[in-house]
Amino acid sequence: MFSDAFEVLVYPGFLFSLVFGLFLVWVVRKTVARTQWRVGPPLLQPLADFLKLLQKKTILPREVNRASFISAPLLALVTILVATLLIPSPGMTRQVLGFRGDVVVLLALLMGFSVSPILAGLSSHHPFCRAGARRETLLLLSYGIPFVIAFLCPVVGARSLRIEDAVNFSISRGPLFFLPAAIVAFFFLWSRAGLSPFDISEAKTEIEVGPLTEYSGKWLGIFRLSKAMAFYVLASVLISFYLPGPFTGQVLIDATVHLLKIVVLVTVLSILSAANPRARIDQASRFGVLWMSLLSVVNLIIVLI
Amino acid sequence: MLKRLLRWGALRSPWILHVNTGSCNNCDIELIDTLTPRFDAERFGVLLEGPRQADVLAVTGFVSRQAALKLRELYEEVPPPKKVVAIGTCACSGGIFKKSYNFAGPVDRIIPVDVYVTGCPPRPQAIIDGLIKALTGG
């Protein structure tokens, strides 16, 4: 009983994914800064940002739809908290909460999280929010649907609706088998993280913070926190689904290898992002619809054969 | 303990909102310079954000009559606790625009100012110093 509570609340559940998510945000900011020959923020900067946002006065604008304005950050937080329990624990194929059909639940949670900024943007009449929500919707459609197909590749291969079976299938086939799907998932992670060239919906110099323009104080803090956790969750899903590492049998070593792979992945992502300017929404969308769909469908066909 | 942690967070994350109320663009260039590799204000957690997210208003330039209303509006949009930094001689005192026909006053005649950074333009180091001092209060 006690160990169950520990698994849910501390490791590998809520607290761990929160801390590691904030760490990944720092990795991104530091890597981007080093790429631009800057020093970059200190290690605890994301934590300081979050703590500060908690203390700011939260403004609830009169003109917004209150129900969706408040439910959007809560939706993001709740979906991602539950998703941390459904992803395979670092270095293992087992989850904290595994059951038959958890593939569908995890997919629904990830999509529910992705919808939350759109909900936030549509809750207000602010033109920046509206423009941001529209762009976010397009991005989600062009990268989310290929991701769903890519996500289903190991599931179809394993012929089971359990995540554990899908991961085991992926391990049995080796890392190169799911490379196209891994690329699709990588781009999905990239577009969800809102790093350039996919910072279209939060384009700083055009539309302030996009869908989150009206958000302040603790609601904004919750949004940023759940985004950090989603970063960890998506990267972890990518690694354990498509690029499961060499397993030694020692849980501690395997978990370390898994987390190191996530850090390497995120570092590569931030270097690529620092090297690219912001894309236009139609360019990004076309790229996703064309190439990502192609890659994911190709991988699905390979699995089916 | 928790109180100290919260205070630590509040001091280390100044997100700034850049407001140009009639500046000649000189101070603006220096303000943007603080984000470049040479000065890198992100070392101290400084980010440029929108009005709802910001903690520090960085106002450059003397306040023209047209900008005065907007400045007050922006000041009210920023959620408290908030600080105002007046950057440049014009923002602090009016500078050479003091006798101008559309001069509505230096920044502190429109909204309360916490830190004055003088200079025409002030150096980026001075601006970073002012932004940090606005939070720490000294």
Side-chain angles (χ1 to χ4, degrees):
Chain A
M1 188 62 216
F2 176 74
S3 74
D4 281 355
F6 181 80
E7 279 195 339
V8 171
L9 293 176
V10 185
Y11 179 88
F14 299 161
L15 188 68
F16 172 73
S17 42
L18 196 154
V19 170
F20 201 73
L22 289 178
F23 171 70
L24 286 182
V25 170
W26 174 76
V27 169
V28 171
R29 284 176 66 174
K30 187 80 173 176
T31 315
V32 170
R34 292 307 298 160
T35 317
Q36 298 168 347
W37 293 94
R38 291 189 284 120
V39 176
L43 178 59
L44 293 176
Q45 187 61 50
L47 182 67
D49 288 348
F50 176 64
L51 290 176
K52 180 209 65 183
L53 282 173
L54 286 186
Q55 300 168 68
K56 298 280 285 183
K57 190 184 170 206
T58 309
I59 294 175
L60 193 63
R62 205 188 310 144
E63 306 248 323
V64 300
N65 180 339
R66 282 180 186 221
S68 61
F69 187 82
I70 294 174
S71 63
L74 292 181
L75 175 74
L77 185 70
V78 169
T79 48
I80 215 64
L81 277 181
V82 180
T84 58
L85 304 180
L86 286 173
I87 59 171
S89 312
M92 285 188 268
T93 56
R94 199 177 65 80
Q95 305 121 284
V96 178
L97 193 71
F99 49 87
R100 189 188 296 272
D102 50 4
V103 170
V104 183
V105 178
L106 180 58
L107 203 52
L109 287 171
L110 291 181
M111 289 303 139
F113 169 79
S114 309
V115 166
S116 64
I118 301 174
L119 188 63
L122 291 180
S123 69
S124 157
H125 293 296
H126 200 293
F128 290 166
C129 297
R130 283 299 167 103
R134 200 157 57 233
R135 293 175 181 195
E136 186 78 29
T137 315
L138 254 177
L139 266 189
L140 179 60
L141 284 177
S142 25
Y143 290 88
I145 293 172
F147 174 70
V148 172
I149 302 174
F151 189 83
L152 289 180
C153 286
V155 178
V156 170
R159 296 209 167 33
S160 155
L161 280 181
R162 295 183 72 106
I163 291 175
E164 207 173 336
D165 295 337
V167 173
N168 278 326
F169 177 76
S170 174
I171 293 170
S172 72
R173 287 307 169 97
L176 283 179
F177 190 71
F178 285 117
L179 197 62
I183 295 171
V184 174
F186 183 73
F187 272 91
F188 181 69
L189 168 69
W190 201 344
S191 71
R192 285 306 95 205
L195 295 166
S196 69
F198 298 112
D199 57 347
I200 310 168
S201 69
E202 297 187 6
K204 271 277 168 54
T205 41
E206 304 172 31
I207 50 172
E208 291 289 354
V209 211
L212 306 188
T213 303
E214 290 278 17
Y215 279 83
S216 58
K218 58 176 179 291
W219 297 128
L220 183 67
I222 287 176
F223 246 123
R224 292 177 74 106
L225 195 71
S226 33
K227 207 168 167 183
M229 287 170 77
F231 207 22
Y232 160 68
V233 167
L234 284 173
S236 186
V237 165
L238 200 168
I239 295 289
S240 38
F241 258 59
Y242 308 117
L243 309 165
F247 288 100
T248 57
Q250 291 272 349
V251 175
L252 204 63
I253 299 173
D254 285 351
T256 317
V257 168
H258 180 86
L259 298 179
L260 273 179
K261 275 158 81 181
I262 291 181
V263 172
V264 170
L265 184 86
V266 168
T267 313
V268 170
L269 195 153
S270 1
I271 292 174
L272 285 175
S273 137
N276 281 294
R278 184 183 308 139
R280 233 170 39 220
I281 180 67
D282 60 316
Q283 296 167 331
S285 178
R286 189 172 302 132
F287 181 77
V289 169
L290 194 63
W291 294 108
M292 292 302 113
S293 313
L294 193 69
L295 280 177
S296 56
V297 169
V298 162
N299 208 168
L300 193 65
I301 292 171
I302 293 175
V303 170
L304 284 174
I305 294 170
Chain B
M1 178 65 193
L2 189 68
K3 232 175 182 175
R4 274 179 62 187
L5 196 67
L6 285 174
R7 183 161 168 70
W8 167 84
L11 291 185
R12 265 163 190 74
S13 164
W15 291 356
I16 60 174
L17 171 67
H18 173 203
V19 191
N20 179 339
T21 53
S23 159
C24 65
N25 212 13
N26 207 345
C27 298
D28 301 318
I29 293 170
E30 298 301 314
L31 182 63
I32 299 304
D33 259 1
T34 61
L35 303 174
T36 54
R38 196 173 177 87
F39 304 102
D40 190 24
E42 207 190 350
R43 284 179 292 160
F44 308 105
V46 172
L47 288 180
L48 283 175
E49 290 284 341
R52 290 273 192 230
Q53 292 83 28
D55 311 293
V56 180
L57 258 89
V59 188
T60 56
F62 82 103
V63 185
S64 70
R65 276 186 204 169
Q66 207 173 9
L69 280 173
K70 292 290 168 200
L71 180 60
R72 206 170 289 133
E73 230 170 71
L74 270 175
Y75 180 74
E76 273 154 22
E77 259 184 44
V78 175
K82 57 192 162 191
K83 301 283 171 163
V84 179
V85 181
I87 292 170
T89 304
C90 303
C92 295
S93 68
I96 58 166
F97 298 104
K98 211 163 194 170
K99 301 240 168 92
S100 173
Y101 65 97
N102 63 350
F103 177 68
V107 176
D108 56 5
R109 208 182 292 167
I110 318 290
I111 54 175
V113 174
D114 297 276
V115 175
Y116 298 86
V117 183
T118 54
C120 184
R123 291 186 66 84
Q125 292 96 322
I127 294 177
I128 294 177
D129 190 43
L131 293 175
I132 307 299
K133 269 184 183 158
L135 288 190
T136 54

